[in-house]
mmCIF file of all heavy atoms in Angstrom:
data_model
loop_
_atom_site.group_PDB
_atom_site.id
_atom_site.type_symbol
_atom_site.label_atom_id
_atom_site.label_comp_id
_atom_site.label_asym_id
_atom_site.label_seq_id
_atom_site.Cartn_x
_atom_site.Cartn_y
_atom_site.Cartn_z
ATOM 1 N N LEU O 1 34.870 4.353 68.215
ATOM 2 C CA LEU O 1 35.885 4.357 69.303
ATOM 3 C C LEU O 1 36.113 5.745 69.893
ATOM 4 O O LEU O 1 36.152 5.850 71.153
ATOM 5 C CB LEU O 1 37.209 3.809 68.799
ATOM 6 C CG LEU O 1 37.532 2.378 69.360
ATOM 7 C CD1 LEU O 1 36.437 1.410 69.003
ATOM 8 C CD2 LEU O 1 38.910 1.908 68.876
ATOM 9 N N PRO O 2 36.269 6.823 69.131
ATOM 10 C CA PRO O 2 36.528 8.132 69.773
ATOM 11 C C PRO O 2 35.385 8.560 70.730
ATOM 12 O O PRO O 2 35.671 9.026 71.855
ATOM 13 C CB PRO O 2 36.658 9.080 68.559
ATOM 14 C CG PRO O 2 37.133 8.211 67.446
ATOM 15 C CD PRO O 2 36.416 6.887 67.645
ATOM 16 N N ASP O 3 34.150 8.359 70.287
ATOM 17 C CA ASP O 3 33.030 8.754 71.143
ATOM 18 C C ASP O 3 32.921 7.880 72.390
ATOM 19 O O ASP O 3 32.598 8.307 73.471
ATOM 20 C CB ASP O 3 31.718 8.709 70.325
ATOM 21 C CG ASP O 3 31.581 9.884 69.390
ATOM 22 O OD1 ASP O 3 32.318 10.879 69.587
ATOM 23 O OD2 ASP O 3 30.767 9.824 68.477
ATOM 24 N N CYS O 4 33.163 6.568 72.140
ATOM 25 C CA CYS O 4 33.074 5.602 73.301
ATOM 26 C C CYS O 4 34.142 6.049 74.364
ATOM 27 O O CYS O 4 33.872 5.978 75.579
ATOM 28 C CB CYS O 4 33.388 4.203 72.831
ATOM 29 S SG CYS O 4 32.032 3.453 71.898
ATOM 30 N N LEU O 5 35.272 6.435 73.913
ATOM 31 C CA LEU O 5 36.366 6.844 74.826
ATOM 32 C C LEU O 5 35.979 8.106 75.529
ATOM 33 O O LEU O 5 36.181 8.238 76.761
ATOM 34 C CB LEU O 5 37.648 7.027 74.027
ATOM 35 C CG LEU O 5 38.905 7.453 74.881
ATOM 36 C CD1 LEU O 5 39.263 6.377 75.863
ATOM 37 C CD2 LEU O 5 40.061 7.743 73.953
ATOM 38 N N LEU O 6 35.460 9.083 74.856
ATOM 39 C CA LEU O 6 35.170 10.395 75.439
ATOM 40 C C LEU O 6 34.112 10.264 76.514
ATOM 41 O O LEU O 6 34.135 11.000 77.516
ATOM 42 C CB LEU O 6 34.668 11.342 74.302
ATOM 43 C CG LEU O 6 34.544 12.812 74.690
ATOM 44 C CD1 LEU O 6 35.890 13.369 75.030
ATOM 45 C CD2 LEU O 6 33.951 13.572 73.531
ATOM 46 N N LEU O 7 33.176 9.326 76.373
ATOM 47 C CA LEU O 7 32.095 9.172 77.314
ATOM 48 C C LEU O 7 32.378 8.232 78.490
ATOM 49 O O LEU O 7 31.621 8.141 79.451
ATOM 50 C CB LEU O 7 30.831 8.709 76.592
ATOM 51 C CG LEU O 7 30.258 9.700 75.522
ATOM 52 C CD1 LEU O 7 29.144 8.990 74.738
ATOM 53 C CD2 LEU O 7 29.752 10.953 76.181
ATOM 54 N N ALA O 8 33.514 7.495 78.364
ATOM 55 C CA ALA O 8 33.800 6.479 79.411
ATOM 56 C C ALA O 8 34.526 7.079 80.593
ATOM 57 O O ALA O 8 35.193 8.125 80.475
ATOM 58 C CB ALA O 8 34.651 5.388 78.773
ATOM 59 N N ARG O 9 34.442 6.418 81.712
ATOM 60 C CA ARG O 9 35.137 6.862 82.954
ATOM 61 C C ARG O 9 36.254 5.929 83.321
ATOM 62 O O ARG O 9 37.052 6.276 84.237
ATOM 63 C CB ARG O 9 34.087 6.946 84.120
ATOM 64 C CG ARG O 9 33.080 8.022 83.959
ATOM 65 C CD ARG O 9 31.950 7.897 84.963
ATOM 66 N NE ARG O 9 31.149 6.710 84.706
ATOM 67 C CZ ARG O 9 30.084 6.334 85.421
ATOM 68 N NH1 ARG O 9 29.698 7.084 86.458
ATOM 69 N NH2 ARG O 9 29.430 5.237 85.152
ATOM 70 N N ASN O 10 36.378 4.812 82.713
ATOM 71 C CA ASN O 10 37.470 3.860 82.949
ATOM 72 C C ASN O 10 37.544 2.886 81.813
ATOM 73 O O ASN O 10 36.702 2.918 80.891
ATOM 74 C CB ASN O 10 37.207 3.141 84.305
ATOM 75 C CG ASN O 10 35.885 2.521 84.397
ATOM 76 O OD1 ASN O 10 35.491 1.714 83.552
ATOM 77 N ND2 ASN O 10 35.134 2.884 85.395
ATOM 78 N N TRP O 11 38.554 2.045 81.803
ATOM 79 C CA TRP O 11 38.781 1.087 80.696
ATOM 80 C C TRP O 11 37.621 0.072 80.573
ATOM 81 O O TRP O 11 37.292 -0.283 79.448
ATOM 82 C CB TRP O 11 40.117 0.361 80.856
ATOM 83 C CG TRP O 11 41.298 1.311 80.737
ATOM 84 C CD1 TRP O 11 42.168 1.631 81.728
ATOM 85 C CD2 TRP O 11 41.676 1.976 79.548
ATOM 86 N NE1 TRP O 11 43.115 2.513 81.226
ATOM 87 C CE2 TRP O 11 42.821 2.736 79.896
ATOM 88 C CE3 TRP O 11 41.195 2.072 78.249
ATOM 89 C CZ2 TRP O 11 43.471 3.556 78.969
ATOM 90 C CZ3 TRP O 11 41.840 2.872 77.348
ATOM 91 C CH2 TRP O 11 43.005 3.613 77.693
ATOM 92 N N GLN O 12 37.095 -0.382 81.686
ATOM 93 C CA GLN O 12 35.972 -1.328 81.598
ATOM 94 C C GLN O 12 34.777 -0.703 80.950
ATOM 95 O O GLN O 12 34.110 -1.302 80.086
ATOM 96 C CB GLN O 12 35.606 -1.848 82.964
ATOM 97 C CG GLN O 12 34.606 -2.991 82.946
ATOM 98 C CD GLN O 12 35.126 -4.159 82.149
ATOM 99 O OE1 GLN O 12 36.096 -4.781 82.580
ATOM 100 N NE2 GLN O 12 34.511 -4.565 81.060
ATOM 101 N N GLU O 13 34.476 0.546 81.322
ATOM 102 C CA GLU O 13 33.337 1.241 80.671
ATOM 103 C C GLU O 13 33.610 1.503 79.208
ATOM 104 O O GLU O 13 32.677 1.419 78.374
ATOM 105 C CB GLU O 13 33.084 2.568 81.415
ATOM 106 C CG GLU O 13 31.719 3.167 81.022
ATOM 107 C CD GLU O 13 31.350 4.293 81.927
ATOM 108 O OE1 GLU O 13 31.426 4.160 83.148
ATOM 109 O OE2 GLU O 13 30.983 5.379 81.390
ATOM 110 N N PHE O 14 34.834 1.796 78.857
ATOM 111 C CA PHE O 14 35.209 1.943 77.465
ATOM 112 C C PHE O 14 34.943 0.665 76.672
ATOM 113 O O PHE O 14 34.332 0.684 75.633
ATOM 114 C CB PHE O 14 36.675 2.366 77.387
ATOM 115 C CG PHE O 14 37.216 2.623 76.002
ATOM 116 C CD1 PHE O 14 36.409 3.143 74.981
ATOM 117 C CD2 PHE O 14 38.525 2.333 75.696
ATOM 118 C CE1 PHE O 14 36.922 3.388 73.716
ATOM 119 C CE2 PHE O 14 39.066 2.592 74.462
ATOM 120 C CZ PHE O 14 38.267 3.090 73.437
ATOM 121 N N ALA O 15 35.434 -0.443 77.240
ATOM 122 C CA ALA O 15 35.161 -1.746 76.572
ATOM 123 C C ALA O 15 33.715 -2.074 76.428
ATOM 124 O O ALA O 15 33.228 -2.500 75.390
ATOM 125 C CB ALA O 15 35.895 -2.817 77.379
ATOM 126 N N ASP O 16 32.910 -1.787 77.510
ATOM 127 C CA ASP O 16 31.473 -2.076 77.502
ATOM 128 C C ASP O 16 30.790 -1.238 76.431
ATOM 129 O O ASP O 16 29.840 -1.712 75.768
ATOM 130 C CB ASP O 16 30.863 -1.836 78.886
ATOM 131 C CG ASP O 16 31.346 -2.873 79.875
ATOM 132 O OD1 ASP O 16 31.829 -3.929 79.465
ATOM 133 O OD2 ASP O 16 31.157 -2.624 81.081
ATOM 134 N N ARG O 17 31.215 0.023 76.289
ATOM 135 C CA ARG O 17 30.595 0.899 75.278
ATOM 136 C C ARG O 17 30.890 0.404 73.894
ATOM 137 O O ARG O 17 30.016 0.474 72.967
ATOM 138 C CB ARG O 17 31.004 2.338 75.495
ATOM 139 C CG ARG O 17 30.441 3.010 76.705
ATOM 140 C CD ARG O 17 30.906 4.464 76.837
ATOM 141 N NE ARG O 17 30.301 5.095 78.018
ATOM 142 C CZ ARG O 17 29.079 5.672 77.991
ATOM 143 N NH1 ARG O 17 28.357 5.677 76.879
ATOM 144 N NH2 ARG O 17 28.599 6.186 79.131
ATOM 145 N N ILE O 18 32.103 -0.063 73.672
ATOM 146 C CA ILE O 18 32.473 -0.635 72.352
ATOM 147 C C ILE O 18 31.605 -1.806 72.017
ATOM 148 O O ILE O 18 31.027 -1.946 70.904
ATOM 149 C CB ILE O 18 33.963 -1.010 72.339
ATOM 150 C CG1 ILE O 18 34.868 0.188 72.411
ATOM 151 C CG2 ILE O 18 34.281 -1.782 71.061
ATOM 152 C CD1 ILE O 18 36.309 -0.134 72.612
ATOM 153 N N ILE O 19 31.454 -2.722 72.971
ATOM 154 C CA ILE O 19 30.689 -3.935 72.797
ATOM 155 C C ILE O 19 29.210 -3.586 72.463
ATOM 156 O O ILE O 19 28.547 -4.122 71.552
ATOM 157 C CB ILE O 19 30.745 -4.800 74.025
ATOM 158 C CG1 ILE O 19 32.173 -5.364 74.179
ATOM 159 C CG2 ILE O 19 29.749 -5.997 73.938
ATOM 160 C CD1 ILE O 19 32.456 -5.918 75.559
ATOM 161 N N GLN O 20 28.689 -2.590 73.214
ATOM 162 C CA GLN O 20 27.303 -2.172 73.016
ATOM 163 C C GLN O 20 27.118 -1.597 71.650
ATOM 164 O O GLN O 20 26.137 -1.836 70.933
ATOM 165 C CB GLN O 20 26.898 -1.159 74.097
ATOM 166 C CG GLN O 20 25.451 -0.687 73.959
ATOM 167 C CD GLN O 20 25.108 0.372 75.075
ATOM 168 O OE1 GLN O 20 25.993 1.131 75.472
ATOM 169 N NE2 GLN O 20 23.920 0.413 75.469
ATOM 170 N N LYS O 21 28.043 -0.718 71.213
ATOM 171 C CA LYS O 21 27.934 -0.083 69.901
ATOM 172 C C LYS O 21 27.994 -1.108 68.753
ATOM 173 O O LYS O 21 27.331 -0.951 67.729
ATOM 174 C CB LYS O 21 29.023 0.978 69.748
ATOM 175 C CG LYS O 21 28.800 2.242 70.530
ATOM 176 C CD LYS O 21 27.688 3.048 69.987
ATOM 177 C CE LYS O 21 27.606 4.436 70.665
ATOM 178 N NZ LYS O 21 26.527 5.284 70.117
ATOM 179 N N LEU O 22 28.800 -2.124 68.927
ATOM 180 C CA LEU O 22 28.942 -3.126 67.904
ATOM 181 C C LEU O 22 27.775 -4.115 67.904
ATOM 182 O O LEU O 22 27.594 -4.900 66.954
ATOM 183 C CB LEU O 22 30.271 -3.880 68.050
ATOM 184 C CG LEU O 22 31.526 -3.095 67.820
ATOM 185 C CD1 LEU O 22 32.762 -3.979 68.030
ATOM 186 C CD2 LEU O 22 31.572 -2.458 66.417
ATOM 187 N N GLY O 23 27.017 -4.152 68.987
ATOM 188 C CA GLY O 23 25.900 -5.085 69.081
ATOM 189 C C GLY O 23 26.315 -6.511 69.207
ATOM 190 O O GLY O 23 25.637 -7.428 68.712
ATOM 191 N N ILE O 24 27.454 -6.773 69.890
ATOM 192 C CA ILE O 24 27.890 -8.118 70.062
ATOM 193 C C ILE O 24 27.742 -8.539 71.548
ATOM 194 O O ILE O 24 27.534 -7.676 72.407
ATOM 195 C CB ILE O 24 29.364 -8.295 69.689
ATOM 196 C CG1 ILE O 24 30.268 -7.323 70.475
ATOM 197 C CG2 ILE O 24 29.512 -8.045 68.154
ATOM 198 C CD1 ILE O 24 31.772 -7.443 70.089
ATOM 199 N N VAL O 25 27.822 -9.817 71.788
ATOM 200 C CA VAL O 25 27.689 -10.331 73.161
ATOM 201 C C VAL O 25 28.976 -10.969 73.623
ATOM 202 O O VAL O 25 29.573 -11.763 72.876
ATOM 203 C CB VAL O 25 26.543 -11.400 73.202
ATOM 204 C CG1 VAL O 25 26.431 -11.980 74.603
ATOM 205 C CG2 VAL O 25 25.223 -10.783 72.807
ATOM 206 N N LEU O 26 29.465 -10.551 74.772
ATOM 207 C CA LEU O 26 30.688 -11.115 75.347
ATOM 208 C C LEU O 26 30.445 -11.465 76.769
ATOM 209 O O LEU O 26 29.792 -10.760 77.543
ATOM 210 C CB LEU O 26 31.836 -10.108 75.303
ATOM 211 C CG LEU O 26 32.635 -9.939 74.001
ATOM 212 C CD1 LEU O 26 33.718 -8.920 74.238
ATOM 213 C CD2 LEU O 26 33.163 -11.244 73.553
ATOM 214 N N GLU O 27 30.965 -12.631 77.199
ATOM 215 C CA GLU O 27 30.902 -13.060 78.623
ATOM 216 C C GLU O 27 31.705 -12.074 79.454
ATOM 217 O O GLU O 27 32.601 -11.376 78.969
ATOM 218 C CB GLU O 27 31.413 -14.492 78.780
ATOM 219 C CG GLU O 27 30.636 -15.545 78.012
ATOM 220 C CD GLU O 27 31.088 -15.641 76.556
ATOM 221 O OE1 GLU O 27 31.930 -14.838 76.126
ATOM 222 O OE2 GLU O 27 30.604 -16.582 75.874
ATOM 223 N N ASN O 28 31.413 -12.056 80.747
ATOM 224 C CA ASN O 28 32.145 -11.115 81.656
ATOM 225 C C ASN O 28 33.642 -11.237 81.612
ATOM 226 O O ASN O 28 34.364 -10.252 81.634
ATOM 227 C CB ASN O 28 31.617 -11.299 83.106
ATOM 228 C CG ASN O 28 30.264 -10.731 83.304
ATOM 229 O OD1 ASN O 28 29.788 -9.884 82.540
ATOM 230 N ND2 ASN O 28 29.553 -11.203 84.329
ATOM 231 N N ASP O 29 34.174 -12.478 81.568
ATOM 232 C CA ASP O 29 35.585 -12.631 81.542
ATOM 233 C C ASP O 29 36.250 -12.072 80.325
ATOM 234 O O ASP O 29 37.315 -11.518 80.328
ATOM 235 C CB ASP O 29 35.978 -14.129 81.745
ATOM 236 C CG ASP O 29 35.444 -15.000 80.644
ATOM 237 O OD1 ASP O 29 34.441 -14.645 79.994
ATOM 238 O OD2 ASP O 29 36.009 -16.089 80.431
ATOM 239 N N ARG O 30 35.518 -12.150 79.198
ATOM 240 C CA ARG O 30 36.048 -11.569 77.941
ATOM 241 C C ARG O 30 35.881 -10.058 77.923
ATOM 242 O O ARG O 30 36.733 -9.378 77.327
ATOM 243 C CB ARG O 30 35.336 -12.197 76.747
ATOM 244 C CG ARG O 30 35.736 -13.682 76.517
ATOM 245 C CD ARG O 30 35.197 -14.234 75.255
ATOM 246 N NE ARG O 30 35.747 -15.573 74.989
ATOM 247 C CZ ARG O 30 35.461 -16.274 73.930
ATOM 248 N NH1 ARG O 30 34.631 -15.811 73.023
ATOM 249 N NH2 ARG O 30 36.024 -17.503 73.712
ATOM 250 N N ARG O 31 34.855 -9.574 78.551
ATOM 251 C CA ARG O 31 34.732 -8.107 78.691
ATOM 252 C C ARG O 31 35.879 -7.545 79.501
ATOM 253 O O ARG O 31 36.482 -6.537 79.161
ATOM 254 C CB ARG O 31 33.397 -7.747 79.380
ATOM 255 C CG ARG O 31 32.161 -7.877 78.550
ATOM 256 C CD ARG O 31 30.912 -7.638 79.398
ATOM 257 N NE ARG O 31 29.711 -7.692 78.599
ATOM 258 C CZ ARG O 31 29.143 -6.659 78.049
ATOM 259 N NH1 ARG O 31 29.657 -5.465 78.214
ATOM 260 N NH2 ARG O 31 28.020 -6.773 77.339
ATOM 261 N N GLU O 32 36.240 -8.237 80.552
ATOM 262 C CA GLU O 32 37.376 -7.847 81.389
ATOM 263 C C GLU O 32 38.675 -7.943 80.628
ATOM 264 O O GLU O 32 39.548 -7.122 80.817
ATOM 265 C CB GLU O 32 37.369 -8.648 82.682
ATOM 266 C CG GLU O 32 36.203 -8.410 83.623
ATOM 267 C CD GLU O 32 36.133 -9.359 84.773
ATOM 268 O OE1 GLU O 32 37.029 -10.246 84.871
ATOM 269 O OE2 GLU O 32 35.186 -9.283 85.612
ATOM 270 N N ALA O 33 38.797 -8.997 79.832
ATOM 271 C CA ALA O 33 40.006 -9.173 79.051
ATOM 272 C C ALA O 33 40.152 -8.080 78.035
ATOM 273 O O ALA O 33 41.275 -7.582 77.799
ATOM 274 C CB ALA O 33 40.002 -10.534 78.344
ATOM 275 N N LEU O 34 39.053 -7.627 77.415
ATOM 276 C CA LEU O 34 39.134 -6.563 76.432
ATOM 277 C C LEU O 34 39.541 -5.259 77.156
ATOM 278 O O LEU O 34 40.351 -4.464 76.600
ATOM 279 C CB LEU O 34 37.764 -6.402 75.745
ATOM 280 C CG LEU O 34 37.668 -5.239 74.714
ATOM 281 C CD1 LEU O 34 38.717 -5.424 73.623
ATOM 282 C CD2 LEU O 34 36.305 -5.169 74.125
ATOM 283 N N ALA O 35 38.940 -4.988 78.331
ATOM 284 C CA ALA O 35 39.304 -3.792 79.049
ATOM 285 C C ALA O 35 40.764 -3.779 79.445
ATOM 286 O O ALA O 35 41.432 -2.780 79.356
ATOM 287 C CB ALA O 35 38.414 -3.714 80.314
ATOM 288 N N ALA O 36 41.315 -4.882 79.899
ATOM 289 C CA ALA O 36 42.719 -5.024 80.253
ATOM 290 C C ALA O 36 43.611 -4.789 79.017
ATOM 291 O O ALA O 36 44.654 -4.130 79.111
ATOM 292 C CB ALA O 36 43.001 -6.420 80.848
ATOM 293 N N PHE O 37 43.179 -5.317 77.883
ATOM 294 C CA PHE O 37 43.902 -5.133 76.657
ATOM 295 C C PHE O 37 43.948 -3.651 76.246
ATOM 296 O O PHE O 37 45.014 -3.095 75.883
ATOM 297 C CB PHE O 37 43.234 -5.912 75.528
ATOM 298 C CG PHE O 37 43.745 -5.629 74.135
ATOM 299 C CD1 PHE O 37 44.941 -6.229 73.718
ATOM 300 C CD2 PHE O 37 43.080 -4.797 73.282
ATOM 301 C CE1 PHE O 37 45.394 -5.981 72.403
ATOM 302 C CE2 PHE O 37 43.528 -4.497 72.008
ATOM 303 C CZ PHE O 37 44.701 -5.125 71.584
ATOM 304 N N LEU O 38 42.865 -2.968 76.367
ATOM 305 C CA LEU O 38 42.791 -1.551 76.028
ATOM 306 C C LEU O 38 43.676 -0.709 76.939
ATOM 307 O O LEU O 38 44.359 0.223 76.552
ATOM 308 C CB LEU O 38 41.340 -1.054 76.090
ATOM 309 C CG LEU O 38 40.356 -1.619 75.094
ATOM 310 C CD1 LEU O 38 38.905 -1.281 75.453
ATOM 311 C CD2 LEU O 38 40.667 -1.094 73.668
ATOM 312 N N GLY O 39 43.691 -1.062 78.230
ATOM 313 C CA GLY O 39 44.463 -0.303 79.180
ATOM 314 C C GLY O 39 45.942 -0.428 79.046
ATOM 315 O O GLY O 39 46.690 0.413 79.516
ATOM 316 N N LYS O 40 46.400 -1.469 78.371
ATOM 317 C CA LYS O 40 47.819 -1.668 78.190
ATOM 318 C C LYS O 40 48.371 -1.038 76.920
ATOM 319 O O LYS O 40 49.573 -0.949 76.704
ATOM 320 C CB LYS O 40 48.135 -3.186 78.152
ATOM 321 C CG LYS O 40 47.924 -3.895 79.500
ATOM 322 C CD LYS O 40 48.185 -5.396 79.338
ATOM 323 C CE LYS O 40 47.969 -6.123 80.641
ATOM 324 N NZ LYS O 40 48.154 -7.564 80.534
ATOM 325 N N ARG O 41 47.442 -0.586 76.050
ATOM 326 C CA ARG O 41 47.896 -0.028 74.773
ATOM 327 C C ARG O 41 47.306 1.363 74.619
ATOM 328 O O ARG O 41 46.122 1.465 74.490
ATOM 329 C CB ARG O 41 47.430 -0.953 73.630
ATOM 330 C CG ARG O 41 48.214 -2.229 73.566
ATOM 331 C CD ARG O 41 47.519 -3.304 72.827
ATOM 332 N NE ARG O 41 48.301 -4.505 72.742
ATOM 333 C CZ ARG O 41 48.402 -5.371 73.735
ATOM 334 N NH1 ARG O 41 47.792 -5.126 74.894
ATOM 335 N NH2 ARG O 41 49.139 -6.472 73.636
ATOM 336 N N PRO O 42 48.129 2.402 74.660
ATOM 337 C CA PRO O 42 47.616 3.773 74.543
ATOM 338 C C PRO O 42 46.731 3.954 73.319
ATOM 339 O O PRO O 42 47.081 3.487 72.219
ATOM 340 C CB PRO O 42 48.940 4.605 74.447
ATOM 341 C CG PRO O 42 49.954 3.779 75.080
ATOM 342 C CD PRO O 42 49.610 2.333 74.780
ATOM 343 N N VAL O 43 45.600 4.594 73.514
ATOM 344 C CA VAL O 43 44.711 4.873 72.437
ATOM 345 C C VAL O 43 45.007 6.185 71.719
ATOM 346 O O VAL O 43 44.440 6.518 70.749
ATOM 347 C CB VAL O 43 43.234 4.856 72.885
ATOM 348 C CG1 VAL O 43 42.796 3.458 73.325
ATOM 349 C CG2 VAL O 43 43.018 5.874 74.000
#
């Protein structure tokens, strides 16, 4: 998470980097939901 955050330019990119690092597959709507979740809770 710390490295994903440091390299991201916005919440969506942060979420996408997390998903990529974990090697999981998420549909676009769930990717967007994860990004929205991250943006509402200070890291």
Side-chain angles (χ1 to χ4, degrees):
L1 251 61
D3 286 341
C4 288
L5 180 64
L6 192 63
L7 296 172
R9 291 169 294 182
N10 52 58
W11 293 113
Q12 188 61 63
E13 190 169 313
F14 182 32
D16 290 344
R17 287 181 179 276
I18 293 172
I19 294 166
Q20 182 182 30
K21 286 289 186 179
L22 293 180
I24 59 179
V25 177
L26 278 183
E27 298 85 353
N28 285 339
D29 59 337
R30 290 187 171 181
R31 285 175 177 266
E32 293 172 1
L34 179 59
F37 170 81
L38 293 169
K40 292 177 181 177
R41 288 159 179 79
V43 293

